[in-house]
Amino acid sequence: KPAPDGLFMALDRLHAKPGAALMVGDSITDAGAARAADMAVALVRGGYTQVPLEEIGADLVCDSMLDLPSALQELSTAA
């Protein structure tokens, strides 16, 4: 990361398109890889980044992985 090669490999194995996938990570590097792969990105607090997650430009920011399902629901209804 931030090269998207690993994401492209995962998408290929899942037979998924980037626009239909979500990268979940915890850092600016994760967000960069997702954007380079043309994927949406959700960031979860608790990583080692020095940059506030709200400043990275993710589609979602969650306090924990447990918040991800409800955050995804909110994102899909807002679209």
Side-chain angles (χ1 to χ4, degrees), residues 20-71:
L22 176 73
M23 163 67 170
V24 178
D26 62 9
S27 70
I28 194 167
T29 307
D30 293 330
R35 294 302 185 209
D38 200 26
M39 294 173 65
V41 60
L43 296 177
V44 180
R45 296 185 203 288
Y48 297 101
T49 183
Q50 299 295 318
V51 179
L53 296 184
E54 291 79 9
E55 294 179 14
I56 295 175
D59 298 292
L60 295 170
V61 174
C62 299
D63 289 326
S64 81
M65 290 292 286
L66 296 174
D67 297 331
L68 194 55
S70 61

Side-chain angles (χ1 to χ4, degrees), residues 7-16:
L7 295 176
F8 288 136
M9 184 174 65
L11 290 167
D12 184 58
R13 288 184 180 176
L14 294 169
H15 306 286

